[in-house]
Structure formats: structure tokens, C-alpha cells
Amino acid sequence: MAIPDLSDPDAAVAFAIAALQNQEEEQALAPVAEAAARHPANLRLWQLLGGLHRALDELAPAVAAYERAVRLAPDDGASAHMLARSLLEGGLPAKAPFERAQALAPEDDIVRL
């Protein structure tokens, strides 16, 4: 998998999505982390960085990435849900984060605990 030009956040997002689809998370982790650091306001990069970590069962860094996404977009139900799931998978308190996600996306059945 060729590493994209990390100065282009859209290319980095596409790279991360392809890595998740092709189960190449380990190879994509460092470049996507670098892209997120270069583009700290890019919500999608933080979400995908969390997804890469989560796919590798690295739950503490996944939680950190999703926390960053939630700080960037506090009203985004998807980010709130991904944070809640990672907390739950890591054995951490997740009831309040799931409730927050459900409040943000009440029509989305997947966010219910």
C-alpha cells in the first residue's frame, strides 16, 4: 500500500479507509497518525485513527483519538458513539458516553447500549 502525500488530508482519509477495508491497519497507523498531527482540526482523520487503533485492539490510543474527535465535533453522534464503544471494549465506564451518543443521534439504533 503506497503512502499518500500526507499534506493532503483527503488523500490521508482515503488511505485510512482503504487500510481498514483491506485489513492493513498496522501499515497505515503511523502515516495516518502523522496526517492527523499535520491536520489537527480534521475530524475524519481522528475518527479513522481511532478506528485503526481499535482494529489493532489498541484501545487506549483509540479512546484518545476518539476523545480528540469528540472535542472537535461535540455534537457529532458518530464520534460520540465510537468513543463510547472503545471505552466499553476497554472495560472502562461507558454508560454516560453511550447516553450522550444516543442523545445526539436518537434515531440511530446502533448507539444504544
Side-chain angles (χ1 to χ4, degrees), residues 54-97:
R54 194 167 157 230
L56 295 168
D57 291 323
E58 298 173 351
L59 296 176
V63 166
Y66 291 137
E67 285 175 336
R68 181 70 176 262
V70 167
R71 281 193 305 273
L72 287 171
D75 294 331
D76 180 56
S79 295
H81 176 245
M82 290 183 282
L83 173 59
R85 274 191 97 72
S86 294
L87 290 167
L88 181 68
E89 291 166 359
L92 298 170
K95 184 177 184 219

Side-chain angles (χ1 to χ4, degrees), residues 95-112:
K95 184 177 184 219
F98 269 109
E99 289 172 348
R100 173 77 177 140
Q102 187 174 5
L104 291 170
E107 301 299 319
D108 192 346
D109 288 337
I110 200 165
V111 301
R112 292 197 174 99

Side-chain angles (χ1 to χ4, degrees), residues 4-13 35 38-39:
D5 175 6
L6 298 177
S7 66
D8 178 359
D10 293 334
V13 165
R38 285 185 181 194
H39 309 284

